[in-house]
Amino acid sequence: MGAKNIYRNLDEQVRNSAKEEFDGFYERCIAYLDLWENSFGNAEQFSWVNLTKTNTVDWENAETCAEIINSSLLDVPDMKINNYQLFDVVLAKEYLQSNWEQWKQEETTRDVIISNEEKWLRQFDHFKENHIATPNLIKIVEYAFCLPGTSAPVERVFSLMSNAWTDDRGLMKESTVKGLMTCKINIGLACEDFYNKIKIKKRLSKKSHSQ
């Protein structure tokens, strides 16, 4: 009730401004949830990366995946894939076809199953040893293997955010919360170790002080 009374007693202009902020926050939350719900709707298009058959690696499949990546990572220019330069896919298909039977024999002889990751690593090692560039193919494979199998990682993010963005710290800006979450999730260091690490990086320290 206290918050409602404070809101009612605000100047009309301030009240309208606050309402816009509140509405904007919830709209962004809803938009994010909608985006998350549909973000992996095209995941089945990457099934060929599992290498279940020799004919799954082809230009058409790679081109479809490249279009998906380009449209979903507009703000990550380094991941941009040129659809007209997917020639490395042809090389991968040739390598796969020439080694498929050998892998099958190896699995039978050693009584093991060669994982998809291992097959791709062998391909990329082969290309690297022979000085063959595969910039587009490796981006597609990396993207495919980064797709989460469950929602557990995202649920963990929400849990961490709830712990950080408490009622006592409710005035933190979204950018601050984003920074905290980025550090918490991507940097596996204790607070003291993280502080000591960035303390010696003068440019990073200077930039953080200017924010």
Side-chain angles (χ1 to χ4, degrees):
M1 293 298 293
K4 289 184 178 180
N5 289 332
I6 293 174
Y7 179 75
R8 292 194 188 100
N9 293 327
L10 290 174
D11 177 77
E12 183 177 359
Q13 185 176 358
V14 176
R15 189 165 62 245
N16 291 337
S17 177
K19 185 177 184 303
E20 289 180 3
E21 287 289 333
F22 296 150
D23 290 344
F25 172 76
Y26 287 111
E27 287 173 1
R28 288 192 293 274
C29 288
I30 293 172
Y32 177 81
L33 292 174
D34 288 340
L35 178 63
W36 167 251
E37 182 181 8
N38 300 305
S39 60
F40 301 118
N42 295 315
E44 68 276 2
Q45 300 294 337
F46 291 85
S47 60
W48 60 273
V49 177
N50 291 324
L51 299 179
T52 55
K53 298 178 181 179
T54 57
N55 62 348
T56 55
V57 180
D58 60 30
W59 188 291
E60 184 178 352
N61 285 334
E63 188 174 36
T64 300
C65 292
E67 291 174 355
I68 294 172
I69 293 173
N70 288 340
S71 62
S72 62
L73 297 174
L74 296 176
D75 57 342
V76 188
D78 290 342
M79 283 295 292
K80 190 77 173 178
I81 298 175
N82 190 330
N83 288 14
Y84 300 103
Q85 296 181 357
L86 292 172
F87 303 106
D88 43 5
V89 175
V90 178
L91 298 174
K93 184 174 183 177
E94 292 177 353
Y95 179 87
L96 181 64
Q97 290 176 336
S98 62
N99 286 272
W100 189 262
E101 290 303 322
Q102 179 182 336
W103 289 342
K104 287 295 183 183
Q105 292 178 4
E106 182 180 344
E107 288 179 330
T108 302
T109 304
R110 296 174 52 199
D111 193 25
V112 297
I113 296 177
I114 303 175
S115 66
N116 304 326
E117 294 88 342
E118 176 65 22
K119 291 176 182 177
W120 281 113
L121 285 173
R122 291 185 183 186
Q123 289 191 65
F124 290 128
D125 283 342
H126 167 77
F127 294 143
K128 184 177 181 180
E129 290 172 0
N130 290 275
H131 307 288
I132 301 173
T134 56
N136 297 303
L137 181 62
I138 197 169
K139 289 177 182 178
I140 295 175
V141 174
E142 285 178 343
Y143 185 92
F145 281 122
C146 284
L147 293 176
T150 68
S151 61
V154 176
E155 292 173 5
R156 178 172 175 267
V157 172
F158 280 118
S159 178
L160 290 172
M161 186 172 68
S162 297
N163 292 335
W165 209 357
T166 61
D167 292 340
D168 294 335
R169 306 174 74 185
L171 294 179
M172 284 196 301
K173 295 181 179 179
E174 291 180 43
S175 58
T176 303
V177 178
K178 180 180 179 181
L180 286 173
M181 292 299 98
T182 301
C183 293
K184 184 73 174 178
I185 295 166
N186 297 297
I187 303 175
L189 295 174
C191 292
E192 184 177 356
D193 295 334
F194 179 64
Y195 171 75
N196 291 330
K197 187 177 183 66
I198 64 172
K199 186 171 63 174
I200 61 176
K201 298 182 181 296
K202 295 183 179 180
R203 190 169 67 174
L204 181 60
S205 299
K206 184 178 180 180
K207 187 174 181 180
S208 63
H209 282 301
S210 65
Q211 298 298 319

